[in-house]
Amino acid sequence: MPPWSAKPKRRSRTRPDARARPTQRSGIRALTAYRQVKMRGPPAGRDPAFFLFSSSRDHSGTRHMDTPDTDLRASLLAAIAAADSLEALEALRVSALGKKGQVTSLMKTLGGMDPETRKTAGQALNALKDEIAAALDARKATLADAALSERLARERVDVTLAPRDEPDGALHPISQTWEEVVAIFAQMGFAVAEGPEIEDDFHNFTALNFPPGHPARDMHDTFFLPRRADGTRHLLRTHTSPVQIRTMLGQKPPIRILAPGRTYRCDSDMTHTPMFHQFEGLVIDKATHFGHLKGCLSEFVEAYFEVEAVPMRFRPSFFPFTEPSAEVDIGCSRKGGELRIGAGDDWLEILGCGMVHPNVLRACGLDPEEYQGFAFGMGLERIAMLKYGIPDLRTFFESDLRWLRHYGFASLDVPTVQGGLSR
Ligand code: 2NL
């Protein structure tokens, strides 16, 4: 049986026990009471507003219609006062002033009233609405204050606590080795020179005396960029030598530079990565000779490996850009699987070098009859692996934080020759 067909109960407020019910429920009760009355319909000839307002009668039994439903008002105010969270308060606001709220529903009945009643009832309802809104605002402020006080008490700062450890970053072994090598050559009067990683054929090959059909110019060894409209192809530099070419083209000797940087080759296996780091050095002056080269490199090797009197061996070799050319080995021992630099009767190759080829000088506008000099080049990863005992080249570029924490260096420990290169 649908509720509206039931015989309506008497308005609950007339029952003596009704007022004793908990306040939270009385708002609903007030609404229910209104609905029940409404289902029954207004008494004949009465305005519907009759039911919305005071149901009290004075001593003469006359109904007063100038105050809105006092039960609704009281119950809403009580519920607002009892709301213990912002969520509960918001739910109350919706149930009273929301689109389908109790007060809003009453407002909607104003349209059906005669003008006289509507005026009084409208004023009274507006006052009720304002009063409820003000009560909601006040309660909201009280709850927010209480929440803030509670948070302030809970989040008290204990200034006596020990500071937390800052998470320290670590320098990658490549960065560390880079700084060490720069520090050593800076000590010898070398300036650091840098240049583009995207190069052209002239600076990377032709000026360096690579013949036209040289295998290094091949797609299999070099990363080429797409061919341009004029037919030329740029490439990722395969060594840092183009930096020295640019320096020789741009300034007059004496030249003493170190060119550190990234280089690229089409190669990827146990001992090669497509990107790696190189250090090249170049010295050009009127009387620079092979003896200077040997002295310079032995100074470097002893400073870098922090060992005195490292045995060195210059083996004849070939590079297109130097003549004569040599590969340099340093003395070491490999006893018990442990590599020791500077002792024992074994050899370890660490770099290549030579006297700058006359064709290279000429390509840079220098007269080989007036100037000569030496150059050398080494792989940064290789010398880092040797010094710090890093067994696998590929781990350098895997970005594994555990690896970095193990092999990394304190970031503020700047390497100097006097103060120590590494700790
Ligand atoms: C190696 C060998 C070397 C050079 C690089 C060079 C640069 C100019 C002129 C002449 Cl502009 N030479 N650089 C010379 C000899 C060897 O590198 O094994 N690198 C990893």
Side-chain angles (χ1 to χ4, degrees):
M1 189 196 302
W4 53 87
S5 65
K7 185 170 181 284
K9 291 188 190 118
R10 289 174 43 166
R11 297 189 71 178
S12 57
R13 73 181 63 178
T14 61
R15 293 207 310 258
D17 64 318
R19 286 179 204 283
R21 295 212 183 153
T23 20
Q24 284 95 321
R25 285 168 57 199
S26 55
I28 299 163
R29 188 161 49 78
L31 189 68
T32 316
Y34 163 64
R35 286 227 175 98
Q36 287 166 344
V37 171
K38 205 174 175 220
M39 281 188 285
R40 190 170 50 187
R46 287 283 194 158
D47 189 286
F50 171 84
F51 297 103
L52 308 182
F53 302 93
S54 175
S55 58
S56 62
R57 294 167 195 262
D58 64 14
H59 58 275
S60 68
T62 311
R63 282 185 187 273
H64 289 272
M65 307 207 296
D66 53 350
T67 48
D69 189 321
T70 47
D71 225 21
L72 176 60
R73 174 181 173 277
S75 65
L76 280 174
L77 289 177
I80 290 167
D84 57 3
S85 71
L86 292 174
E87 294 75 42
L89 206 58
E90 174 60 11
L92 275 171
R93 188 192 64 76
V94 172
S95 84
L97 306 180
K99 262 192 188 158
K100 293 179 179 163
Q102 291 156 282
V103 178
T104 317
S105 305
L106 292 180
M107 290 281 205
K108 285 178 189 161
T109 64
L110 289 173
M113 297 179 188
D114 66 67
E116 192 58 26
T117 317
R118 179 161 62 231
K119 193 179 169 211
T120 334
Q123 279 172 355
L125 265 179
N126 272 326
L128 173 66
K129 193 179 119 192
D130 291 347
E131 192 183 5
I132 297 301
L136 283 166
D137 281 351
R139 183 69 188 147
K140 194 171 174 181
T142 308
L143 285 175
D145 274 1
L148 180 62
S149 304
E150 191 266 333
R151 224 183 110 192
L152 286 174
R154 181 163 38 87
E155 295 181 2
R156 195 184 296 266
V157 175
D158 183 352
V159 292
T160 66
L161 281 177
R164 282 201 196 105
D165 276 352
E166 294 257 350
D168 286 334
L171 271 195
H172 194 283
I174 288 291
S175 306
Q176 170 73 19
T177 308
W178 181 309
E179 295 301 331
E180 290 181 30
V181 177
V182 165
I184 296 166
F185 283 104
Q187 185 82 4
M188 290 191 258
F190 283 70
V192 170
E194 288 182 273
E197 290 177 24
I198 294 176
E199 270 294 0
D200 54 37
D201 177 273
F202 174 77
H203 292 92
N204 195 79
F205 292 128
T206 304
L208 284 152
N209 197 36
F210 280 83
H214 194 280
R217 292 173 177 263
D218 197 275
M219 284 275 287
H220 297 291
D221 291 318
T222 303
F223 291 111
F224 287 96
L225 276 76
R227 216 176 268 283
R228 297 187 172 195
D230 64 5
T232 60
R233 273 191 306 181
H234 279 62
L235 49 86
L236 296 183
R237 68 183 182 193
T238 59
H239 40 200
T240 57
S241 311
V243 178
Q244 286 115 289
I245 297 296
R246 289 176 182 280
T247 305
M248 284 189 278
L249 286 166
Q251 71 189 59
K252 273 175 70 81
I255 290 169
R256 206 186 292 167
I257 54 160
L258 187 70
R262 288 183 178 169
T263 52
Y264 303 85
R265 284 182 204 175
C266 269
D267 222 344
S268 188
D269 57 38
M270 276 281 286
T271 52
H272 299 88
T273 49
M275 187 280 298
F276 57 101
H277 298 80
Q278 237 194 5
F279 266 77
E280 288 198 21
L282 175 77
V283 175
I284 305 282
D285 208 343
K286 291 193 165 155
T288 306
H289 55 70
F290 206 95
H292 295 132
L293 171 60
K294 289 180 79 173
C296 176
L297 291 180
S298 88
E299 188 81 14
F300 165 71
V301 165
E302 287 174 16
Y304 179 72
F305 288 106
E306 296 171 285
V307 183
E308 271 175 47
V310 181
M312 288 179 89
R313 184 170 81 171
F314 287 72
R315 265 186 299 109
S317 184
F318 175 81
F319 304 111
F321 31 80
T322 44
E323 182 60 34
S325 306
E327 266 159 335
V328 178
D329 301 337
I330 53 175
C332 70
S333 91
R334 292 188 170 94
K335 279 205 192 83
E338 196 198 14
L339 178 73
R340 290 183 59 182
I341 308 269
D345 45 18
D346 230 343
W347 295 102
L348 181 72
E349 184 189 322
I350 59 155
L351 55 86
C353 63
M355 299 305 293
V356 178
H357 198 290
N359 288 348
V360 175
L361 293 171
R362 269 191 284 271
C364 298
L366 296 173
D367 179 1
E369 297 302 320
E370 191 181 359
Y371 293 109
Q372 61 185 23
F374 65 80
F376 57 87
M378 62 189 131
L380 200 55
E381 286 80 0
R382 178 163 171 77
I383 64 163
M385 288 166 83
L386 291 174
K387 183 166 176 179
Y388 295 113
I390 305 171
D392 188 344
L393 170 73
R394 290 173 297 187
T395 59
F396 276 83
F397 308 115
E398 279 171 358
S399 301
D400 187 329
L401 277 179
R402 294 163 304 175
W403 183 90
L404 191 56
R405 275 187 206 108
H406 181 78
Y407 288 111
F409 293 84
S411 54
L412 296 177
D413 236 358
V414 179
T416 61
V417 176
Q418 290 82 7
L421 289 176
S422 58
R423 260 178 277 169

